[in-house]
Amino acid sequence: MNSPDAVPETPEADPAAATPATVTHPVAETQADGPAAHPAAALQTDHRADHQAGHHTGHPAVLPPADLRRRLADRLDTTARAWLDRALEEAAEHPGTHGPISVWELRLAEAGRRCGPDHADAARVLILDAARADTDALTRVYSQGTAAERRAVLHALAHLVPGPDAVPLVEDALRTNDTRLVAAALGPYGARHLDPHAWRHAVLKCLFTGIPVDRITDLARRARGDGELARMLGDFAEERTAAGRPVPDDLHRVLALTATAGPAAPTPAPDRPLTPHPSPADDPHADTPHADDPHVKET
């Protein structure tokens, strides 16, 4: 078994490694002392706070890593800054994958406790960047990590994966009921590489779950002149009205964008659900939670 030269800290000291269920709910990094919430609670949280990823340091998917590191260093105390510097040195010295787990993967698990929940996303993105994580490494972290680590992977895709190889990770996040993962999936990488069909359904999922459409990167560009999206929005509004439910204000904003002049939208793929499982009757674009689904366990 290979192992990195550096000796990692014992992960038992990190609550994110010891009890992942307490840190993977969308608001759990600020509620670590409370009980784990039911997965459905992800759809009932206050999204004003939930969807401000990086509001202290700049959005980690948008800012270049060098700028992100400078901003983060200015906001960390001396102890946290020293930890981050060492974690980035370790990741740069031992990039890639080494044995069952790399030292930088352990640092990902510690980031929330070491840097605080407000800065954990930025710290994790910087560690992934320093480790020069490729698509295989990012897929491994995403598949084995907590929801917070998965979110960091989604933010890092724009910096680390130039082509569409990581689109399956974005599509997986869009199938979850974790609204913060859905929002992260619609960052710069998703804006560049999601096909029109999947992107349109993701927009509808944001409207259904209350994710502000401001979180969708390049919304105006991708919605411009998209008649198929306009049709889907109209159908959704009619369904809500018929059911006596309010139509989200954001729907009217997106609908107005589709009416703006621009190139014709790509020919839509045959309409198909975003997930392979039967969906709830009132949300044709969301998954039905299953007891053995890892997303449900971590949400």
Side-chain angles (χ1 to χ4, degrees), residues 14 20 39-41 61 74 84 109 125 136 155 157 169 174 197 204 213 241 243 299:
D14 179 23
D74 288 342
L84 179 64
V125 168
D136 288 342
H155 289 322
L157 294 179
L169 301 184
L174 292 174
H197 170 83
L204 287 182
V213 296
T241 301
T299 306

Side-chain angles (χ1 to χ4, degrees), residues 68-294:
L68 185 64
R69 183 173 182 177
R70 282 193 294 270
R71 290 199 187 190
L72 182 56
D74 288 342
R75 288 159 176 79
L76 295 177
D77 62 30
T78 302
T79 301
R81 189 162 54 248
W83 178 86
L84 179 64
D85 289 343
R86 180 56 184 152
L88 296 180
E89 288 173 6
E90 289 174 335
E93 291 167 0
H94 306 284
T97 302
H98 304 274
I101 190 166
S102 301
V103 63
W104 56 266
E105 293 180 64
L106 297 177
R107 301 301 175 244
L108 290 177
E110 296 176 13
R113 177 170 60 86
R114 296 289 192 171
C115 297
D118 289 337
H119 307 305
D121 280 3
R124 289 184 175 114
V125 168
L126 289 173
I127 292 169
L128 289 167
D129 181 70
R132 302 190 290 280
D134 60 14
T135 303
D136 288 342
L138 292 167
T139 300
R140 166 178 163 155
V141 172
Y142 183 92
S143 63
Q144 298 179 359
T146 65
E149 291 160 15
R150 291 179 175 191
R151 189 169 64 246
V153 168
L154 294 168
H155 289 322
L157 294 179
H159 304 303
L160 295 171
V161 184
D165 294 349
V167 165
L169 301 184
V170 174
E171 293 175 335
D172 182 85
L174 292 174
R175 287 192 290 266
T176 72
N177 289 319
D178 185 329
T179 54
R180 295 184 75 180
L181 281 180
V182 173
L186 291 171
Y189 187 84
R192 287 200 296 266
H193 298 296
L194 273 176
D195 66 58
H197 170 83
W199 184 82
R200 291 174 186 131
H201 278 278
V203 171
L204 287 182
K205 185 161 187 172
C206 287
L207 294 171
F208 182 86
T209 58
I211 299 172
V213 296
D214 289 340
R215 303 296 297 164
I216 304 174
T217 299
D218 282 349
L219 173 65
R221 176 183 65 81
R222 292 208 59 166
R224 184 181 299 119
D226 191 336
E228 176 63 10
L229 177 60
R231 181 195 66 76
M232 294 169 68
L233 292 170
D235 290 347
F236 180 60
E238 289 179 6
E239 292 169 5
R240 299 277 291 194
T241 301
R245 303 174 68 184
V247 176
D249 290 340
D250 273 355
L251 184 145
H252 300 292
R253 292 179 56 196
V254 180
L255 191 59
L257 291 174
T258 66
T260 58
T267 302
D271 203 29
R272 55 179 171 81
L274 191 62
T275 70
H277 301 298
S279 302
D282 59 347
D283 179 13
H285 313 296
D287 279 335
T288 301
H290 295 277
D292 58 349
D293 187 341

